[in-house]
Amino acid sequence: MKEKLLNIFKETLEVSDIDENVSQSNCEAWDSIKHLNLIIAIEGEFGISLEPEEMEKMVDFGAALKIVEGK
């Protein structure tokens, strides 16, 4: 699951050299539009629906992984 999620981040943010430490604060490509695209890609790939509170908490890869694993 971790590798699949990391690939979603790479494809959606269009940055190939990111790792599990990627966050909104250290990735210039991660803007509000890319954030929405990330959410759509994650929901589609894993067949889940994210609540608005979860979307807000998804500020880095670790938080996203925790949320997806919790679903």
Side-chain angles (χ1 to χ4, degrees):
M1 179 182 299
K2 188 184 289 189
E3 194 61 38
K4 190 183 283 190
L5 186 60
L6 191 58
N7 284 332
I8 291 171
F9 271 74
K10 288 178 181 179
E11 290 174 17
T12 305
L13 298 176
E14 300 174 349
V15 179
S16 60
D17 62 343
I18 61 173
D19 59 23
E20 296 174 16
N21 296 312
V22 67
S23 70
Q24 288 178 332
S25 61
N26 67 16
C27 180
E28 289 182 27
W30 192 339
D31 59 16
S32 58
I33 299 297
K34 295 275 176 77
H35 187 74
L36 291 174
N37 290 339
L38 265 175
I39 290 165
I40 292 166
I42 290 168
E43 288 180 328
E45 180 66 34
F46 294 103
I48 58 175
S49 287
L50 298 170
E51 298 299 323
E53 301 81 31
E54 294 170 321
M55 294 176 196
E56 286 180 32
K57 291 179 183 175
M58 201 178 295
V59 296
D60 57 37
F61 179 82
L65 181 61
K66 185 175 180 180
I67 290 166
V68 171
E69 287 177 338
K71 295 285 187 173

